[in-house]
Each structure stands twice: as structure tokens, then as C-alpha cells.
Amino acid sequence: MFENLLLGFSAFGDPMVWVSLIFGALAGYLIGAIPGLGPSLGVALLIPFTYGLDPVVSIVGLVALYAAAEYGGAITAILINSPGTSAAVATAWDGYPLTQQGRAGEALMVSIIASGVGIFVSALFLLFTAVPLSEFALRFGPGEYFALAVVGLSLVVGLADGLVIKGAVAMGIGLALATVGLDTQTGAPRFAVSTELFEGLPLVPVLLGLYALSEVLFMVEEGATAKVKSPPVGGFRSWNWKGLVPLNGVIMRSSVLGYVIGIIPGAGASIASFIAYATAKKTSKRPELFGKGSMEGVAASEAANNAAVSGAMAPLLALGIPGSPTTAVMIGALMIQGIQPGPLLFSRNPEIPYTIFASLWIGVPIMVFIGLAGARGWAQVANIPRPAIAAIVSAICLVGAYSSEGTMFPVYVMTAFGILGYLLRKVQIPLAPIILALVLGEMMETNFRRALITSQGSLDIFYSSPLTLVLLLIAVLAFVLPAIGFFRRQRSAGQDAGKTAAS
């Protein structure tokens, strides 16, 4: 492990890795600070810029953007009560009241430091949990891999933000899209209406369309709506640095909570921040300040949602299952570079996971410095007109899609999926399950066939192995339990409505 970790740190002997880290951090702050964008869209937009780059260089930039964008959402949450990401909602509960009290600079300082500590602590946990998890997964055969893929798909319900039925619909759409192309065993074309689709749907245009272009369409629909101007932010000397000392316990506890919750596929940074916030309030000596301007609330939320970044990376690297919508997009970025996430990643491409570990540690002081030094500048990002943002994002989408293959076909695909993403979001069907199913669909189908070939067509292979059986039971429970909860809520709501009507 330690030899591979040295390999990861040695990657920073390449100046391009440093450039990628700094560029990713700057882009992440910028994207995170713009309400409506966020880390998923940011990673999707950055992918076209990684063409031709070394895989290590590109993945360092993507991870830096992910981490910085997760923090960037706190900037507008604190300053104008408009969270840049869903994970920063809890930050706004105390951050904006602090701004109204004239303590915006202090709130930004606490949020940046807490975010940095959260990333650093969770990166340590990532190192010591991802490797054993991947070593255990190396024992998997085709039956276990099939069951693991089914587990990943079952957890898609978690990525649907509680919308069980709509999450299942999104998963079905993703699985249908995964069948497009040549059959891997027979070579027969499936739903390939054009020769360009023989290799399946191009992943980059799909990602750009679903996430970026659909957001542009919403911006166009909303128009140039009036925006709240960001208040001025004071300099370093006006900040109460001594106020960080009483927050040490809250930050450390929230970092651990954020990592543990982040490991659960589908939980994500939003749930981590809410749980950490609630825990901080229950254990605080001054719970009455929460919601009115508590530094503990800001610290808890930001430490947890940034620690969840490393947590979401654990199942991605060790098992090939994304732990969040953003890591679902990152799977596509890795596959474009010819890298398959999962247990074999640590043996075939150890430079990738260990450079990620190293980049999280090395990147913390850089991102904290950029965040603190540029606090005044980041505060002005929210004032950028929406039409200008829409034009910039559209241009990046078009250039990125075209450059992926050098033809217009990816542009057509991106446009089609942009419209599809817009329509799906209109009816509140989540996009992350589509990407997850699109990526895991091939893995599930391939290993299902291999398992049947190994067992000469017998289905015994799926329940004769204890591990396969356990994974399949987990998948069934992951499907059934949320569905039962959903129908109970529907039934309870119907009964309440009936009582109200009767009275």
C-alpha cells in the first residue's frame, strides 16, 4: 500500500498534474458558486477538455473540480441564501443569517476551513477502506459481478431523491439505452439505426446533453430573472480566526459522519450534510442559535458534505459502483480514458486510485488557499447574468461533443439527449439513475452471460455461492423496502385526505 501511495505522490513530479489540480479547483469554485450548476454538471463539462491528456492528469483535475464544486455551493448559500448545490442547503440555514448580521467573511472562512478538514480526514478513511474492499472483491466471479451490478442498480432508488417509481423509470430508460449497439457475443446489431451506433451510444455527448444542455434549456426558459446582489466581503483581518477553536469537535465528528454516509450509494452529500447538521444541533451547548446564525451549523454542514466526496469515491474505486450522481458521471470519464473502475483497478492501474488519494491531501491546502484568497471574487460570481452562463455552457457542450469524434454525429446525440433531459426533469424523473444504468447495464449483461456459460446454462450458479446469494438478497431488499415505504406513505396520505373530507 505504502509503495503505491509513494507512486501516487510521485505523479506530482509532473507539472501538468499541478496545472490540472489548480485548474480543476478554480473551475470547481466557479461552477459551484453559480446556483443551478453543481459538481455533476461541472465534471460533465470538463470531460471534453481531458481528451488527449494522460489519465492521471485528467482524473486529478476531475477530482479537484468535484471537491471544490461541492464547497463552492456554500458561497452563494451564505451570501444570498441561494445554495449553489443541494448539499449546501443546510449551510444556508445559518450562513445567510450570519451574513445579515454582518459576519459574511467569518462564515465563509469557517465553511472553507471545515470543508478542507472534511476532505483531508475523509481521504485518510478512503485509503484504509477502499483497498481492503477491492481486495475482497477480487474473489468475485461472473456470478458475483452480476449480483454486484444488480445491487448497484437497486440502489438507484437512492439516487432518485425518494421518488421510487420515477427512479425505477429512469433506471429502465438507462438499461434500454445500454442495449444499443452490437451484441458482445453474437455481433448482431441491436437498435443500431446507424453504423455510428454499432459501438453503443457515445458517453460524452450523452452526459453533456442530459446534464449540461438540459440545464441551458431551463436557463433559457427562466430568462434573465432579477438576482440578489452579493454583499461585500471583508478581508482576512476582519475575520475572527480564534472562533475556529471551539468548532474542532463539530468539524471532526461531521467529517466522520460525512464519509460513512457518503459510502452508501445514493446517500450523497445532501443527506450527509443534513444528518451532520441535526447531530451538531442535538449535541450543541447553544442549540437555540441554529437557524439564526450558528457557526457550528455552518461547520457541520460543510465538513460533512465535503467528506462525502471521499466517501462516494470508495465504492466507485473499489467496486465500480458510483456513490453519488457526480461519481456516476466520473465513471464515464474513467471509461473514456480506457480505465475500468472496480477491484482490478488497484492491480492494473494502481497509479489512478493512489494519485487520487495523494491529490486529495495535496489539494486541500491549495483549495483552502484559493478559497480564502478569492473570497471576495467568488462572492461576485453569483452576479453573472444567466443568459451569459447559458451561452458559455452551450458553447462548451457543442465544442466538447464535436471534438469527441470529430464529426457532427455526437452533436446530434447531445442535442437529442439535451431535449430528453429537459423533458425528463420537467416531469421530475431523475437523471443520475439513467447514467448509472447505462454504465452498469453492460457489466450486468456480460457477467450474466458468462455465469451461464460457466454453469452450462444452469441458474444454480446464482444461489449456490453464498456471496452471490447475499448480494442478490440485498438487491431485492433495496428494491422492495423503499417501494413498501412509498406505498405506505401513499396509503397514509389517502386516509388523511379521507378523514379531512369526512370532517
Side-chain angles (χ1 to χ4, degrees):
M1 179 189 297
F2 293 104
E3 289 180 1
N4 287 326
L5 194 56
L6 289 175
L7 175 66
F9 279 104
S10 68
F12 285 85
D14 182 357
M16 282 300 297
V17 176
W18 287 99
V19 171
S20 180
L21 175 66
I22 295 171
F23 176 80
L26 289 170
Y29 275 120
L30 178 65
I31 290 170
I34 300 175
L37 300 190
S40 299
L41 185 145
V43 171
L45 284 178
L46 190 61
I47 288 175
F49 294 98
T50 63
Y51 297 152
L53 292 179
D54 182 83
V56 170
V57 175
S58 63
I59 198 63
V60 166
L62 292 171
V63 171
L65 186 147
Y66 181 15
E70 203 65 72
Y71 164 70
I75 297 170
T76 47
I78 292 170
L79 296 177
I80 60 174
N81 201 27
S82 179
T85 64
S86 60
V89 170
T91 306
W93 293 343
D94 286 295
Y96 186 62
L98 287 168
T99 296
Q100 292 176 314
Q101 297 167 21
R103 303 171 66 189
E106 290 180 51
L108 285 174
M109 178 264 293
V110 168
S111 66
I112 293 169
I113 299 298
S115 299
V117 174
I119 294 173
F120 189 86
V121 171
S122 61
L124 286 172
F125 287 112
L126 177 62
L127 172 65
F128 290 105
T129 56
V131 176
L133 189 61
S134 67
E135 291 176 350
F136 172 73
L138 284 174
R139 306 174 187 174
F140 287 12
E144 286 81 4
Y145 272 115
F146 164 75
L148 184 63
V150 175
V151 169
L153 290 174
S154 66
L155 293 172
V156 82
V157 175
L159 294 179
D161 297 327
L163 304 174
V164 181
I165 303 299
K166 293 182 178 180
V169 170
M171 181 187 66
I173 293 172
L175 288 174
L177 295 173
T179 62
V180 175
L182 296 179
D183 188 292
T184 55
Q185 288 190 350
T186 65
R190 301 186 300 190
F191 309 107
V193 296
S194 171
T195 55
E196 286 91 345
L197 291 174
F198 279 0
E199 294 183 5
L201 287 164
L203 196 54
V204 171
V206 171
L207 292 173
L208 290 174
L210 286 176
Y211 280 96
L213 196 58
S214 66
E215 185 62 37
V216 168
L217 295 176
F218 275 98
M219 292 181 189
V220 172
E221 182 183 37
E222 293 169 2
T225 55
K227 303 200 71 175
V228 180
K229 291 291 182 181
S230 298
V233 177
F236 289 166
R237 295 181 181 179
S238 66
W239 299 353
N240 179 22
W241 293 89
K242 294 181 180 179
L244 284 171
V245 177
L247 301 175
N248 290 339
V250 173
I251 293 174
M252 292 300 296
R253 181 175 62 248
S254 300
S255 299
V256 176
L257 271 174
Y259 179 77
V260 173
I261 295 168
I263 290 178
I264 304 170
S270 301
I271 295 176
S273 65
F274 293 143
I275 292 178
Y277 183 91
T279 304
K281 184 176 181 179
K282 288 181 180 178
T283 57
S284 174
K285 295 180 180 179
R286 304 186 67 183
E288 70 278 1
L289 291 180
F290 279 71
K292 301 176 182 178
S294 170
M295 287 295 181
E296 288 182 86
V298 173
S301 172
E302 285 305 299
N305 64 32
N306 281 266
V309 170
S310 296
M313 297 291 291
L316 168 70
L317 297 175
L319 302 175
I321 296 177
S324 69
T326 306
T327 49
V329 179
M330 289 188 70
I331 279 190
L334 287 169
M335 294 176 70
I336 290 166
Q337 294 285 346
I339 298 168
Q340 179 64 51
L344 296 177
L345 179 64
F346 287 84
S347 57
R348 292 178 178 174
N349 303 100
E351 72 280 3
I352 298 297
Y354 286 98
T355 301
I356 290 175
F357 302 153
S359 70
L360 289 170
W361 290 320
I362 293 175
V364 164
I366 294 174
M367 284 188 281
V368 169
F369 174 77
I370 292 174
L372 292 174
R376 291 183 178 181
W378 304 126
Q380 303 305 313
V381 169
N383 299 331
I384 300 175
R386 299 292 277 181
I389 297 172
I392 294 170
V393 172
S394 298
I396 294 174
C397 288
L398 291 171
V399 172
Y402 181 82
S403 59
S404 65
E405 295 182 13
T407 65
M408 285 300 295
F409 179 74
V411 177
Y412 302 145
V413 172
M414 179 199 68
T415 305
F417 275 90
I419 296 171
L420 175 64
Y422 171 79
L423 295 174
L424 291 175
R425 290 173 63 181
K426 273 288 189 181
V427 294
Q428 296 184 325
I429 291 180
L431 302 180
I434 298 176
I435 299 299
L436 181 60
L438 182 60
V439 171
L440 290 181
E442 182 181 357
M443 171 184 171
M444 183 177 70
E445 179 187 6
T446 301
N447 283 287
F448 178 76
R449 289 182 167 186
R450 287 177 180 172
L452 289 179
I453 291 172
T454 303
S455 64
Q456 298 181 345
S458 173
L459 294 176
D460 293 353
I461 192 171
F462 297 114
Y463 54 83
S464 59
S465 166
L467 182 56
T468 304
L469 186 59
V470 168
L471 289 172
L472 289 175
L473 288 174
I474 292 172
V476 171
L477 290 175
F479 271 118
V480 172
L481 293 180
I484 292 175
F486 172 77
F487 288 116
R488 281 182 176 175
R489 287 192 298 271
Q490 294 291 317
R491 183 178 179 183
S492 177
Q495 291 175 345
D496 292 342
K499 290 179 182 178
T500 303
S503 61

